[in-house]
Short mmCIF file of all heavy atoms in Angstrom, two decimals:
data_model
loop_
_atom_site.label_atom_id
_atom_site.label_comp_id
_atom_site.label_asym_id
_atom_site.label_seq_id
_atom_site.Cartn_x
_atom_site.Cartn_y
_atom_site.Cartn_z
N ASN A 229 87.74 -208.50 22.24
CA ASN A 229 86.79 -207.48 22.68
C ASN A 229 87.49 -206.59 23.70
O ASN A 229 87.20 -206.60 24.88
CB ASN A 229 85.57 -208.16 23.30
CG ASN A 229 84.46 -207.17 23.59
OD1 ASN A 229 84.54 -206.01 23.20
ND2 ASN A 229 83.45 -207.62 24.28
N GLU A 278 37.57 -196.90 42.36
CA GLU A 278 38.02 -198.24 42.73
C GLU A 278 37.24 -198.78 43.93
O GLU A 278 36.85 -199.95 43.96
CB GLU A 278 39.52 -198.25 43.04
CG GLU A 278 40.08 -199.58 43.45
CD GLU A 278 39.92 -200.68 42.42
OE1 GLU A 278 39.74 -200.37 41.22
OE2 GLU A 278 39.99 -201.87 42.80
N VAL A 284 30.70 -202.98 44.54
CA VAL A 284 29.79 -203.68 43.62
C VAL A 284 30.16 -205.15 43.53
O VAL A 284 29.29 -206.03 43.58
CB VAL A 284 29.81 -203.00 42.23
CG1 VAL A 284 29.11 -203.85 41.19
CG2 VAL A 284 29.19 -201.62 42.31
#
Side-chain angles (χ1 to χ4, degrees):
N229 189 8
E278 179 60 21
V284 168

